[in-house]
Short mmCIF file of all heavy atoms in Angstrom, two decimals:
data_model
loop_
_atom_site.label_atom_id
_atom_site.label_comp_id
_atom_site.label_asym_id
_atom_site.label_seq_id
_atom_site.Cartn_x
_atom_site.Cartn_y
_atom_site.Cartn_z
N ILE A 32 0.87 -1.17 -0.01
CA ILE A 32 -0.01 0.01 0.04
C ILE A 32 0.94 1.19 0.01
O ILE A 32 1.62 1.42 0.93
CB ILE A 32 -0.94 0.05 1.23
CG1 ILE A 32 -1.78 -1.18 1.28
CG2 ILE A 32 -1.78 1.31 1.28
CD1 ILE A 32 -2.79 -1.39 0.18
N ILE A 33 0.82 2.02 -1.08
CA ILE A 33 1.68 3.14 -1.18
C ILE A 33 0.98 4.45 -0.69
O ILE A 33 -0.26 4.48 -0.59
CB ILE A 33 2.19 3.35 -2.66
CG1 ILE A 33 1.06 3.60 -3.61
CG2 ILE A 33 3.09 2.23 -3.12
CD1 ILE A 33 1.42 4.07 -4.98
N ARG A 34 1.70 5.45 -0.33
CA ARG A 34 1.20 6.74 0.07
C ARG A 34 1.83 7.80 -0.75
O ARG A 34 3.00 7.72 -1.11
CB ARG A 34 1.37 6.95 1.56
CG ARG A 34 2.80 7.01 2.02
CD ARG A 34 2.92 7.32 3.48
NE ARG A 34 4.28 7.42 3.84
CZ ARG A 34 5.00 8.59 3.72
NH1 ARG A 34 4.48 9.68 3.17
NH2 ARG A 34 6.29 8.55 4.06
N THR A 35 1.00 8.75 -1.09
CA THR A 35 1.54 9.95 -1.80
C THR A 35 1.32 11.21 -1.01
O THR A 35 0.43 11.22 -0.15
CB THR A 35 0.83 10.09 -3.16
OG1 THR A 35 -0.56 10.32 -2.92
CG2 THR A 35 0.97 8.88 -4.06
N ASP A 36 2.18 12.17 -1.21
CA ASP A 36 2.10 13.45 -0.55
C ASP A 36 2.70 14.46 -1.49
O ASP A 36 3.48 14.18 -2.40
CB ASP A 36 2.86 13.39 0.73
CG ASP A 36 2.31 14.41 1.77
OD1 ASP A 36 1.47 15.30 1.42
OD2 ASP A 36 2.76 14.36 2.95
N TRP A 37 2.30 15.71 -1.31
CA TRP A 37 2.85 16.82 -2.14
C TRP A 37 4.30 17.03 -1.83
O TRP A 37 4.72 16.86 -0.66
CB TRP A 37 2.09 18.14 -1.92
CG TRP A 37 0.66 17.98 -2.45
CD1 TRP A 37 -0.51 18.00 -1.74
CD2 TRP A 37 0.31 18.00 -3.85
NE1 TRP A 37 -1.58 17.87 -2.61
CE2 TRP A 37 -1.11 17.86 -3.90
CE3 TRP A 37 1.01 18.02 -5.00
CZ2 TRP A 37 -1.81 17.83 -5.08
CZ3 TRP A 37 0.26 17.98 -6.26
CH2 TRP A 37 -1.09 17.84 -6.26
N ASP A 38 5.07 17.38 -2.82
CA ASP A 38 6.47 17.65 -2.65
C ASP A 38 6.73 19.05 -3.20
O ASP A 38 6.03 19.43 -4.26
CB ASP A 38 7.33 16.65 -3.29
CG ASP A 38 8.82 16.79 -2.91
OD1 ASP A 38 9.17 16.49 -1.84
OD2 ASP A 38 9.53 17.39 -3.74
N THR A 39 7.60 19.81 -2.68
CA THR A 39 7.92 21.17 -3.17
C THR A 39 8.58 21.15 -4.50
O THR A 39 8.66 22.25 -5.20
CB THR A 39 8.81 21.93 -2.15
OG1 THR A 39 9.96 21.19 -1.97
CG2 THR A 39 8.03 22.16 -0.87
N GLY A 40 9.01 20.04 -4.98
CA GLY A 40 9.66 19.95 -6.28
C GLY A 40 11.10 19.34 -6.17
O GLY A 40 11.81 19.66 -5.15
N PHE A 41 11.39 18.44 -6.98
CA PHE A 41 12.69 17.67 -6.84
C PHE A 41 13.84 18.61 -7.11
O PHE A 41 13.82 19.46 -7.99
CB PHE A 41 12.73 16.58 -7.82
CG PHE A 41 14.04 15.84 -7.79
CD1 PHE A 41 14.31 14.99 -6.73
CD2 PHE A 41 14.99 16.03 -8.76
CE1 PHE A 41 15.49 14.29 -6.66
CE2 PHE A 41 16.20 15.38 -8.68
CZ PHE A 41 16.44 14.49 -7.67
N LYS A 42 14.86 18.55 -6.24
CA LYS A 42 16.17 19.16 -6.47
C LYS A 42 17.23 18.12 -6.28
O LYS A 42 17.07 17.19 -5.46
CB LYS A 42 16.35 20.26 -5.38
CG LYS A 42 15.43 21.47 -5.63
CD LYS A 42 15.74 22.58 -4.62
CE LYS A 42 14.87 23.82 -4.88
NZ LYS A 42 13.50 23.64 -5.26
N GLU A 43 18.28 18.21 -7.10
CA GLU A 43 19.34 17.24 -7.06
C GLU A 43 19.87 16.99 -5.64
O GLU A 43 20.02 17.98 -4.92
CB GLU A 43 20.51 17.73 -7.96
CG GLU A 43 21.60 16.67 -8.16
CD GLU A 43 21.08 15.35 -8.77
OE1 GLU A 43 20.22 15.42 -9.71
OE2 GLU A 43 21.53 14.29 -8.36
N GLY A 44 20.01 15.82 -5.24
CA GLY A 44 20.51 15.48 -3.95
C GLY A 44 19.36 14.91 -3.07
O GLY A 44 19.65 14.13 -2.12
N ARG A 45 18.11 15.18 -3.36
CA ARG A 45 16.98 14.77 -2.55
C ARG A 45 16.62 13.36 -2.86
O ARG A 45 15.80 12.70 -2.23
CB ARG A 45 15.77 15.67 -2.84
CG ARG A 45 16.05 17.07 -2.22
CD ARG A 45 14.76 17.89 -1.99
NE ARG A 45 13.84 17.18 -1.22
CZ ARG A 45 12.48 17.13 -1.48
NH1 ARG A 45 12.07 17.71 -2.53
NH2 ARG A 45 11.71 16.47 -0.72
N GLN A 46 17.27 12.69 -3.92
CA GLN A 46 16.93 11.32 -4.24
C GLN A 46 17.64 10.34 -3.22
O GLN A 46 17.28 9.20 -3.26
CB GLN A 46 17.33 10.99 -5.64
CG GLN A 46 18.88 10.91 -5.92
CD GLN A 46 19.51 12.17 -6.35
OE1 GLN A 46 19.07 13.23 -5.92
NE2 GLN A 46 20.47 12.11 -7.17
N TYR A 47 18.42 10.84 -2.35
CA TYR A 47 19.13 10.00 -1.44
C TYR A 47 18.40 9.89 -0.09
O TYR A 47 17.89 10.92 0.43
CB TYR A 47 20.57 10.43 -1.27
CG TYR A 47 21.31 10.42 -2.51
CD1 TYR A 47 21.81 11.56 -3.14
CD2 TYR A 47 21.58 9.20 -3.20
CE1 TYR A 47 22.39 11.52 -4.33
CE2 TYR A 47 22.28 9.13 -4.38
CZ TYR A 47 22.67 10.32 -4.92
OH TYR A 47 23.39 10.23 -6.13
N GLY A 48 18.41 8.72 0.52
CA GLY A 48 17.79 8.54 1.85
C GLY A 48 18.53 9.41 2.89
O GLY A 48 19.75 9.67 2.72
N ARG A 49 17.86 9.87 3.88
CA ARG A 49 18.45 10.81 4.90
C ARG A 49 18.79 10.03 6.17
O ARG A 49 19.22 10.64 7.16
CB ARG A 49 17.41 11.83 5.20
CG ARG A 49 17.13 12.69 3.99
CD ARG A 49 16.07 13.75 4.41
NE ARG A 49 15.85 14.72 3.29
CZ ARG A 49 14.82 15.59 3.17
NH1 ARG A 49 13.97 15.63 4.25
NH2 ARG A 49 14.64 16.32 2.18
N GLY A 50 18.63 8.73 6.18
CA GLY A 50 19.02 8.00 7.38
C GLY A 50 20.50 7.87 7.61
O GLY A 50 21.27 8.04 6.64
N LYS A 51 20.95 7.62 8.80
CA LYS A 51 22.40 7.52 9.09
C LYS A 51 23.11 6.38 8.36
O LYS A 51 24.23 6.46 7.97
CB LYS A 51 22.61 7.32 10.62
CG LYS A 51 22.21 8.54 11.38
CD LYS A 51 22.39 8.27 12.86
CE LYS A 51 21.93 9.49 13.64
NZ LYS A 51 21.37 9.19 14.97
N SER A 52 22.29 5.34 8.06
CA SER A 52 22.86 4.18 7.37
C SER A 52 22.80 4.32 5.81
O SER A 52 23.17 3.46 5.08
CB SER A 52 22.16 2.85 7.81
OG SER A 52 20.79 2.94 7.50
N GLY A 53 22.16 5.43 5.38
CA GLY A 53 22.04 5.69 3.88
C GLY A 53 20.70 5.58 3.34
O GLY A 53 20.38 6.12 2.33
N GLY A 54 19.85 4.76 4.02
CA GLY A 54 18.43 4.57 3.58
C GLY A 54 17.49 5.59 4.22
O GLY A 54 17.91 6.66 4.64
N GLN A 55 16.28 5.18 4.34
CA GLN A 55 15.27 6.04 4.94
C GLN A 55 15.34 5.93 6.45
O GLN A 55 15.65 4.92 7.00
CB GLN A 55 13.87 5.70 4.45
CG GLN A 55 13.60 6.17 2.94
CD GLN A 55 12.12 5.97 2.64
OE1 GLN A 55 11.73 4.88 2.30
NE2 GLN A 55 11.39 7.08 2.77
N VAL A 56 15.06 7.07 7.12
CA VAL A 56 15.13 7.08 8.55
C VAL A 56 14.15 6.07 9.18
O VAL A 56 14.48 5.30 10.07
CB VAL A 56 14.75 8.50 9.11
CG1 VAL A 56 14.68 8.47 10.60
CG2 VAL A 56 15.82 9.49 8.66
N ARG A 57 12.94 5.92 8.61
CA ARG A 57 11.96 5.02 9.16
C ARG A 57 12.43 3.59 9.10
O ARG A 57 12.01 2.74 9.88
CB ARG A 57 10.59 5.22 8.45
CG ARG A 57 10.51 4.72 6.98
CD ARG A 57 9.23 4.94 6.37
NE ARG A 57 8.28 4.00 6.89
CZ ARG A 57 7.65 3.09 6.17
NH1 ARG A 57 7.85 3.06 4.82
NH2 ARG A 57 6.83 2.16 6.62
N ASP A 58 13.25 3.24 8.15
CA ASP A 58 13.70 1.83 8.01
C ASP A 58 14.88 1.50 8.99
O ASP A 58 15.14 0.42 9.27
CB ASP A 58 14.16 1.59 6.59
CG ASP A 58 13.05 1.40 5.59
OD1 ASP A 58 12.08 0.68 6.02
OD2 ASP A 58 13.11 1.90 4.47
N GLU A 59 15.39 2.56 9.57
CA GLU A 59 16.38 2.29 10.62
C GLU A 59 15.75 1.89 11.93
O GLU A 59 16.31 1.10 12.67
CB GLU A 59 17.29 3.57 10.90
CG GLU A 59 18.05 3.90 9.64
CD GLU A 59 18.99 5.18 9.83
OE1 GLU A 59 18.82 5.84 10.80
OE2 GLU A 59 19.95 5.18 9.04
N TYR A 60 14.59 2.36 12.23
CA TYR A 60 13.93 2.13 13.52
C TYR A 60 12.85 0.98 13.44
O TYR A 60 12.39 0.64 14.44
CB TYR A 60 13.30 3.40 14.00
CG TYR A 60 14.33 4.44 14.35
CD1 TYR A 60 14.62 5.48 13.46
CD2 TYR A 60 15.13 4.36 15.44
CE1 TYR A 60 15.61 6.44 13.66
CE2 TYR A 60 16.15 5.28 15.73
CZ TYR A 60 16.31 6.32 14.79
OH TYR A 60 17.34 7.24 15.02
N ARG A 61 12.54 0.52 12.26
CA ARG A 61 11.50 -0.47 12.14
C ARG A 61 11.92 -1.78 12.77
O ARG A 61 13.07 -2.27 12.58
CB ARG A 61 11.25 -0.66 10.60
CG ARG A 61 10.12 -1.54 10.23
CD ARG A 61 9.78 -1.49 8.78
NE ARG A 61 10.97 -1.46 7.86
CZ ARG A 61 11.77 -2.47 7.63
NH1 ARG A 61 11.56 -3.65 8.18
NH2 ARG A 61 12.82 -2.36 6.81
N GLN A 62 11.10 -2.32 13.61
CA GLN A 62 11.47 -3.58 14.34
C GLN A 62 10.86 -4.83 13.67
O GLN A 62 11.24 -5.90 14.00
CB GLN A 62 10.84 -3.54 15.79
CG GLN A 62 11.50 -2.42 16.63
CD GLN A 62 12.95 -2.73 16.92
OE1 GLN A 62 13.29 -3.86 17.25
NE2 GLN A 62 13.79 -1.69 16.84
N ASP A 63 9.89 -4.61 12.74
CA ASP A 63 9.28 -5.80 12.08
C ASP A 63 10.09 -6.27 10.92
O ASP A 63 10.95 -5.57 10.43
CB ASP A 63 7.91 -5.49 11.62
CG ASP A 63 7.82 -4.36 10.57
OD1 ASP A 63 8.60 -3.41 10.70
OD2 ASP A 63 7.10 -4.48 9.63
N TYR A 64 9.85 -7.54 10.52
CA TYR A 64 10.52 -8.07 9.33
C TYR A 64 9.77 -7.76 8.12
O TYR A 64 8.56 -8.18 8.05
CB TYR A 64 10.75 -9.62 9.55
CG TYR A 64 11.48 -10.20 8.37
CD1 TYR A 64 12.87 -10.10 8.27
CD2 TYR A 64 10.76 -10.90 7.35
CE1 TYR A 64 13.57 -10.69 7.23
CE2 TYR A 64 11.45 -11.43 6.32
CZ TYR A 64 12.92 -11.33 6.24
OH TYR A 64 13.58 -11.91 5.17
N ASP A 65 10.30 -7.12 7.14
CA ASP A 65 9.67 -6.74 5.91
C ASP A 65 10.60 -7.08 4.75
O ASP A 65 11.51 -6.29 4.45
CB ASP A 65 9.35 -5.22 5.93
CG ASP A 65 8.46 -4.82 4.78
OD1 ASP A 65 8.33 -5.49 3.72
OD2 ASP A 65 7.92 -3.68 4.89
#
């Protein structure tokens, strides 16, 4: 199930995850197996 939200417009560099490990922040803290 995907979710969409408005974005201010793509700028170079925003294609990279912002988490400390390189991916998305939410995937760093997720405890479930996906």
Side-chain angles (χ1 to χ4, degrees):
I32 302 295
I33 59 169
R34 63 178 181 81
T35 60
D36 206 349
W37 291 108
D38 189 77
T39 55
F41 177 77
K42 290 186 178 37
E43 189 58 40
R45 292 198 55 223
Q46 71 268 36
Y47 299 112
R49 295 177 178 171
K51 291 178 184 150
S52 64
Q55 288 189 276
V56 174
R57 68 181 287 242
D58 284 317
E59 293 183 344
Y60 296 101
R61 189 171 37 75
Q62 294 293 319
D63 61 319
Y64 182 78
D65 188 343

